[in-house]
Amino acid sequence: MNRVREYRKKQKLSQFSLAEKVGVARQTINLIENDKYNPSLNLCISIAKVLGTDLNTLFWEVEDNES
Amino acid sequence: MNRVREYRKKQKLSQFSLAEKVGVARQTINLIENDKYNPSLNLCISIAKVLGTDLNTLFWEVEDNES
DNA sequence: ACTTTTTGTCATATATAATTGACACTTTTA
DNA sequence: TAAAAGTGTCAATTATATATGACAAAAAGT
């Protein structure tokens, strides 16, 4: 699970307005938030910049090594 | 410019052996290293894991704000 | 010098990311 | 409570990521 929705809401953006700022279709944002597919790196970077964050924060799953 | 080549060499891997470990064609690694296209997020994550690093290190350009 | 490995690149084919338009349902706001 | 905005999803299309096979040239190893 990525954290796009969480950071989008922090910025008070709708899927539609985020899509506009990023320059993609609204459906693309929706699919990414719901982990329905595999976005391109450039798209991930654009989203991260618009949301004022970075790739690791949005897309890097920290595996917990606690037993 | 990404840092895949740099981290691949740190691990003493050829493009071919990295491609094998990641499970893609060698050409795909070559194209990524030479910034010829836009890989998918899942592929970036696989590469980062095989190279023992993370998304930001390999693919996040730090813009220098020094004047 | 020769051989083997590695890299860059081409051309063609396939899988899938991303677009567009639409509709139903939910949530917010007037 | 009605209108508007936001979300999930479907189907069809287009753009492009990735695969496969191949070849030349450079680099590394013997």
Side-chain angles (χ1 to χ4, degrees):
Chain A
M1 281 306 253
N2 66 65
R3 301 175 72 185
V4 173
R5 172 171 283 133
E6 175 186 347
Y7 276 75
R8 174 175 61 79
K9 293 200 166 171
K10 273 191 189 169
Q11 306 285 343
K12 310 256 189 232
L13 296 173
S14 66
Q15 291 179 349
F16 181 81
S17 56
L18 173 57
E20 264 188 331
K21 284 172 183 281
V22 168
V24 294
R26 178 183 67 85
Q27 286 86 333
T28 301
I29 301 296
N30 187 303
L31 289 167
I32 292 169
E33 288 190 354
N34 292 301
D35 273 318
K36 291 291 174 58
Y37 69 15
N38 188 12
S40 72
L41 176 61
N42 286 347
L43 177 48
C44 294
I45 290 173
S46 298
I47 292 172
K49 286 183 176 170
V50 168
L51 295 182
T53 180
D54 56 60
L55 289 173
N56 281 358
T57 302
L58 291 182
F59 301 107
W60 189 253
E61 315 261 339
V62 182
E63 70 256 27
D64 45 359
N65 278 332
E66 217 52 47
S67 55
Chain B
M1 280 307 255
N2 66 67
R3 302 175 72 185
V4 173
R5 172 170 284 133
E6 175 187 347
Y7 276 76
R8 173 175 62 79
K9 292 200 166 172
K10 272 192 189 169
Q11 306 285 342
K12 311 253 188 236
L13 297 173
S14 66
Q15 292 180 350
F16 181 80
S17 55
L18 174 57
E20 265 187 331
K21 284 171 182 280
V22 168
V24 293
R26 178 182 66 85
Q27 286 84 334
T28 301
I29 300 297
N30 187 302
L31 290 168
I32 292 169
E33 288 190 355
N34 291 303
D35 273 318
K36 291 290 172 61
Y37 71 15
N38 187 12
S40 71
L41 176 61
N42 286 346
L43 177 48
C44 293
I45 290 173
S46 298
I47 292 172
K49 286 182 177 171
V50 168
L51 295 182
T53 180
D54 55 62
L55 289 173
N56 281 358
T57 302
L58 290 182
F59 302 107
W60 189 253
E61 315 262 338
V62 182
E63 70 256 29
D64 45 359
N65 278 331
E66 216 54 47
S67 58

